[in-house]
Amino acid sequence: MLYPNYQSPWLDDELRILRDAAAKFFAQEFKPLNEKWLAQGKVDREAWNKAGEAGLLCAAIPAEYGGAGGDYRHETVVMEEMHRAGISGFGYQVHSTIVAPYVLHYGTEAQRRAWLPKLATGELVGAIAMTEPNTGSDLQAVRTTALREGNEYVINGAKTYITNGQHADLVIVVAKTDPTKGGKGISLVVVETAGNPGFKRGRNLKKLGMKSADTSELFFEDCRVPAGNVLGGQEGQGFVQLMQQLPSERLNIAQAAVVAMERAIEITLDYVRERKAFGQRVLDFQNTRFKLAECKSQALIARTFVDQCVLWLLDGKLDAATASMAKYWCTDKQCEIIDECLQLHGGAGYMDEYEISRMYADARVQKIYGGTNEIMKELIGRTLG
Ligand SMILES: Cc1cc2nc3c(=O)[nH]c(=O)nc-3n(C[C@H](O)[C@H](O)[C@H](O)COP(=O)(O)OP(=O)(O)OC[C@H]3O[C@@H](n4cnc5c(N)ncnc54)[C@H](O)[C@@H]3O)c2cc1C
């Protein structure tokens, strides 16, 4: 325990039981396969079904739609244990804390009944396709179109860097249903990929870190979906829907950053207690203790802030600017702390066989996706008057 006297204020006994079950599941079922997944550049498809069978997918979706009937805290607990186990390529957050909540909050009753139970079992893997080769931060500039033709929408466009791209069975596509209307012409259109000839998966992209994540290109070429696949059943709502969900998505990234900070400090403490130089433990150098004292202080400050954000979120009071503060500050600190921890490992820190090396590579993207940290500062800046 990094800070034995601190307990997240939103944690209760039921969540502690879920935490233990999730930790056991990831240790027994996923950890032994992690090296294989890293080598093949994606998790096995069955991993999704296994997580579904264990009741870990869609923890915050009501039981009537096949979920576990919990709330944001339940998702958090599962996500934290996944990261603590060092599993960085399983796109749980996109599937369970982004795609499923979109369907729950904005879907029509028919859409909820059709998709949520299958997302909860892992029969469907979810993805969200916003980013395009020519636009990421500037979402209103997406070029993908979904144009109505009779009882169908015809989607044309290309998406890139899409998490779960190789496995996805259900993709929420950000597209213009009315290209003349800018942001007001954006809709979220759901593509069920199975047997759809207009949907094509591109490359599973090679990247700096998160090497077992299937981050991919997706192509839509006269891809036809039923008119009923516009999320919520009404065109033009997409931009607002995206904006409303962003605070919880960004808090989730901040929370993952805090878990990574804590894990980095723990494994570094293990290392510097064992490693000797100049006849003493590396931990006994004052520099080591000062560096780790700084890291531990910052990690606890981050933890208390994200915990407060969870309380605000549960209370419906987490605004976009505050979530942006959590996302940018925690992910910046994650990268700084992991860098310090890697340094304290010496050469071992640069070797793949040491967890800190992978954590260093995995961390970098946290400052980029979910809205870059520059965009976060833009959003905070707008509240300055
Ligand atoms: C591993 C990984 C997984 C991802 N998963 C997904 C996914 O599942 N779905 C999805 O849709 N996308 C996903 N993305 C894409 C990610 O969300 C985008 O890369 C991100 O939003 C940035 O967009 P961009 O790459 O187009 O960068 P750009 O928007 O081109 O930005 C380039 C630089 O310009 C800066 N910049 C841009 N606008 C401004 C501004 N107004 N003020 C100041 N600076 C600015 C940015 O901060 C950045 O530093 C993923 C990316 C990665 C790397």
Side-chain angles (χ1 to χ4, degrees):
M1 283 293 274
L2 200 52
Y3 0 89
N5 297 326
Y6 181 76
Q7 282 286 322
S8 293
W10 46 266
L11 207 59
D12 62 20
D13 284 345
E14 185 209 333
L15 289 159
R16 282 189 195 96
I17 292 168
L18 176 63
R19 182 184 290 286
D20 292 345
K24 205 165 150 198
F25 173 84
F26 289 121
Q28 285 178 356
E29 302 290 339
F30 280 16
K31 231 179 161 176
L33 296 169
N34 203 30
E35 288 301 317
K36 178 185 164 223
W37 292 351
L38 287 162
Q40 71 191 21
K42 58 183 178 184
V43 305
D44 295 329
R45 176 62 180 82
E46 303 81 71
W48 289 98
N49 306 79
K50 276 194 180 166
E53 276 162 34
L56 298 179
L57 299 179
C58 302
I61 298 298
E64 59 175 310
Y65 301 115
D71 57 37
Y72 182 83
R73 299 167 306 155
H74 298 75
E75 297 287 0
T76 293
V77 158
V78 177
M79 178 276 290
E80 288 194 343
E81 290 315 309
M82 182 183 79
H83 286 291
R84 236 172 238 133
I87 309 294
S88 65
F90 185 65
Y92 171 83
Q93 283 154 279
V94 164
H95 178 98
S96 275
T97 59
I98 301 181
V99 172
Y102 271 98
V103 176
L104 178 69
H105 295 134
Y106 304 120
T108 61
E109 191 56 21
Q111 291 170 339
R112 290 175 182 175
R113 299 226 172 261
W115 298 322
L116 288 174
K118 291 180 182 170
L119 287 168
T121 57
E123 190 182 330
L124 293 177
V125 175
I128 180 146
M130 299 181 263
T131 309
E132 300 185 352
N134 290 309
T135 194
S137 303
D138 184 7
L139 257 185
Q140 299 199 36
V142 291
R143 291 189 192 162
T144 298
T145 53
L147 302 178
R148 182 90 187 234
E149 274 186 24
N151 284 335
E152 292 177 324
Y153 281 94
V154 183
I155 308 173
N156 278 289
K159 298 287 180 179
T160 194
Y161 312 146
I162 306 306
T163 301
N164 296 340
Q166 294 297 309
H167 286 317
D169 309 287
L170 185 130
V171 184
I172 298 180
V173 181
V174 178
K176 293 230 166 106
T177 38
D178 185 345
T180 64
K181 281 195 184 153
K184 291 196 174 118
I186 291 179
S187 303
L188 304 182
V189 184
V190 178
V191 174
E192 290 159 282
T193 63
N196 191 323
F199 169 78
K200 293 194 176 59
R201 300 177 208 274
R203 291 174 298 157
N204 185 12
L205 298 160
K206 298 227 180 291
K207 50 195 182 301
L208 174 69
M210 291 180 46
K211 289 191 184 286
S212 57
D214 50 328
T215 313
S216 308
E217 300 168 322
L218 301 179
F219 299 104
F220 304 87
E221 293 164 9
D222 288 332
C223 172
R224 290 177 178 272
V225 299
N229 279 24
V230 168
L231 203 60
Q234 221 190 328
E235 285 185 14
Q237 303 299 306
F239 199 68
V240 174
Q241 291 167 340
L242 287 166
M243 293 305 120
Q244 284 172 347
Q245 290 303 304
L246 282 171
S248 65
E249 292 165 28
R250 289 174 177 157
L251 174 58
N252 208 256
I253 293 173
Q255 290 178 287
V258 174
V259 176
M261 294 177 205
E262 293 168 351
R263 176 90 192 129
I265 297 166
E266 277 166 1
I267 60 178
T268 304
L269 278 169
D270 289 344
Y271 188 82
V272 297
R273 282 184 190 124
E274 291 296 321
R275 180 77 180 171
K276 301 252 172 15
F278 298 94
Q280 57 179 335
R281 302 183 309 168
V282 171
L283 181 59
D284 295 330
F285 296 117
Q286 189 188 50
N287 176 66
T288 306
R289 292 199 312 278
F290 278 16
K291 287 292 178 200
L292 286 172
E294 287 168 14
C295 291
K296 186 171 173 176
S297 309
Q298 290 168 355
L300 183 55
I301 290 165
R303 164 66 67 190
T304 55
F305 182 54
V306 295
D307 279 344
Q308 180 58 51
C309 288
V310 172
L311 296 178
W312 281 326
L313 182 89
L314 293 169
D315 221 9
K317 289 183 183 150
L318 183 69
D319 60 42
T322 310
S324 301
M325 291 175 196
K327 195 270 176 182
Y328 113 73
W329 196 81
C330 293
T331 57
D332 272 7
K333 285 292 157 207
Q334 174 187 4
C335 290
E336 286 169 29
I337 286 175
I338 291 176
D339 187 38
E340 293 289 6
C341 288
L342 187 151
Q343 186 70 16
L344 293 174
H345 278 71
Y350 202 68
M351 300 299 138
D352 268 3
E353 61 201 85
Y354 284 84
E355 192 179 342
I356 196 72
S357 161
R358 286 192 180 147
M359 290 185 76
Y360 181 83
D362 289 348
R364 189 59 183 82
V365 74
Q366 288 264 91
K367 300 203 277 188
I368 298 169
Y369 59 18
T372 66
N373 285 6
E374 292 73 34
I375 296 294
M376 297 305 99
K377 289 175 201 172
E378 270 297 313
L379 294 174
I380 302 160
R382 282 179 205 163
T383 65
L384 300 175

